[in-house]
Amino acid sequence: MNDYLVKAIDKTKNLRLLTVTAKDLVSEAQQRHDTWSASSAVLGRTLVGSLLLAGAELTDKEELTVRLLGNGPVGPTIVTAQADLTVKGYVKNPHIALPPKKDGHIDVKQAVGQGWFEVTKDLGLKEPYTGQVPIVSGEIAEDFAYYLTKSEQIPSAVGLSVFVNPNNTIGEAGGFMLQALPGASDELITRTIKRIKELPALSTSFLDGMTPEDLARKILGTDCKLLEKDNVAYKCDCSKEKYAGILETLKTSQLQAMINEDHGAELTCSFCGNKYHYTEDELKDILAKKNAEKDY
Ligand SMILES: [Zn+2]
């Protein structure tokens, strides 16, 4: 696994930056879901953006879920990232490929469409916190930045990149998330944004071998401080037991139908594609457990 995330801070300690290279984990998502180019770009960018957000904001056992709820052909995109920098996700329609834009890039904006960008954070409190903003761009990086600025009042700049090869494999994936801390002067922010605007296309740089450390120095300056380097990965925490728990929440009549008519059930995890099979006897056990709990 070559994917990792770097946390850095500028010389004045007023700008926090996270950079990541994530080709392997986006490749795993592409293979698990058999996504085509536009779906790969939407899912990949959302996976990378969510990882950066998790790296910036989560600790311990916390997790966050990003929902990109657009009306474009790819359909809703759901990604969950953990504080340990593992991530999983899926798109409703994996088999979307669109004609390229004039500049040759994948038309991600078209693929996403209009709608809502939602972030739910489970911080171990009673109620998870959800923030929602309209999709302002559809290119996804700008939507993460807009969400951070509007919903969390953290002035931010975000860059996300996924390069899809003609045979649908992933050529590169990566990105950055810059957050201005309260002490950041306008002059510092303006200078840094100018540096970001002058960067060559992220995809080209990553394909040319740029590392997250290189990217951090390009954005914050060579005098920045690199604080941390952590591995990142695609990981789904599903299991047969976990889905049995979900079956238990179905109506008794639905479980009965699975037992009497289907003589078993097969569930597929949306996040990773793993399949879980339950025999008639296992379903009877689940139903018995459900009824036993109801009696309390
Ligand atoms: Zn799974």
Side-chain angles (χ1 to χ4, degrees):
M1 182 65 87
N2 300 309
D3 294 348
Y4 63 94
L5 180 146
V6 165
K7 293 181 187 174
I9 196 149
D10 78 306
K11 191 178 71 171
T12 72
K13 297 193 169 70
N14 287 307
L15 294 175
R16 181 165 64 157
L17 178 71
L18 293 91
T19 55
V20 67
T21 180
K23 178 187 164 185
D24 289 353
L25 80 85
V26 174
S27 297
E28 183 168 346
Q30 190 276 325
Q31 287 163 21
R32 282 187 177 274
H33 298 294
D34 185 32
T35 48
W36 297 359
S37 58
S39 302
S40 298
V42 173
L43 180 57
R45 286 189 194 180
T46 312
L47 286 166
V48 174
S50 302
L51 254 186
L52 289 163
L53 193 60
E57 302 192 342
L58 302 186
T59 55
D60 298 330
K61 302 268 177 220
E62 295 171 357
E63 69 168 41
L64 61 81
T65 297
V66 172
R67 292 183 185 81
L68 187 63
L69 306 172
N71 62 2
V74 168
T77 304
I78 316 293
V79 168
T80 296
Q82 312 276 342
D84 68 0
L85 301 179
T86 59
V87 69
K88 60 180 181 177
Y90 64 93
V91 290
K92 178 150 190 283
N93 302 312
H95 291 165
I96 303 295
L98 298 172
K101 294 193 291 189
K102 279 200 191 104
D103 61 7
H105 289 137
I106 296 171
D107 198 341
V108 174
K109 189 188 183 81
Q110 179 82 21
V112 169
Q114 293 178 323
W116 295 93
F117 180 95
E118 261 182 32
V119 179
T120 301
K121 285 190 211 160
D122 188 343
L123 307 177
L125 306 169
K126 254 189 198 158
E127 291 288 319
Y129 158 87
T130 298
Q132 191 193 50
V133 292
I135 294 172
V136 287
S137 151
E139 293 284 345
I140 304 175
E142 289 85 344
D143 296 294
F144 271 94
Y146 185 76
Y147 160 79
L148 280 165
T149 308
K150 280 283 163 186
S151 189
E152 299 195 10
Q153 282 87 45
I154 304 169
S156 304
V158 179
L160 302 171
S161 160
V162 172
F163 187 87
V164 183
N165 293 317
N167 66 358
N168 274 339
T169 59
I170 303 300
E172 65 80 24
F176 69 85
M177 181 173 283
L178 176 76
Q179 299 189 333
L181 302 174
S185 67
D186 289 346
E187 193 271 329
L188 175 65
I189 293 173
T190 309
R191 181 158 30 103
T192 310
I193 296 294
K194 186 162 173 275
R195 274 206 207 109
I196 289 173
K197 285 190 173 147
E198 286 167 0
L199 286 177
L202 279 182
S203 57
T204 315
S205 301
F206 278 122
L207 285 170
D208 287 345
M210 178 180 68
T211 65
E213 290 90 338
D214 296 336
L215 181 57
R217 290 188 194 101
K218 280 182 185 175
I219 294 174
L220 293 181
T222 49
D223 54 3
C224 74
K225 199 170 173 199
L226 304 177
L227 304 171
E228 243 185 278
K229 176 177 169 177
D230 299 297
N231 290 327
V232 299
Y234 194 93
K235 188 179 157 196
C236 190
D237 52 358
C238 68
S239 63
K240 192 167 176 181
E241 294 70 37
K242 195 170 167 182
Y243 277 101
I246 292 172
L247 283 172
E248 215 185 293
T249 65
L250 294 178
K251 285 191 191 131
T252 301
S253 59
Q254 283 174 299
L255 280 168
Q256 279 294 357
M258 286 178 182
I259 293 165
N260 300 338
E261 291 160 32
D262 306 333
H263 308 288
E266 187 171 79
L267 299 187
T268 304
C269 176
S270 306
F271 284 101
C272 69
N274 283 352
K275 290 185 188 334
Y276 296 102
H277 183 75
Y278 299 85
T279 63
E280 200 173 328
D281 283 342
E282 284 170 328
L283 289 175
K284 281 178 185 165
D285 288 344
I286 290 168
L287 183 59
K289 202 171 161 216
K290 176 184 176 74
N291 289 333
E293 277 166 16
K294 209 165 56 185
D295 292 339
Y296 277 105

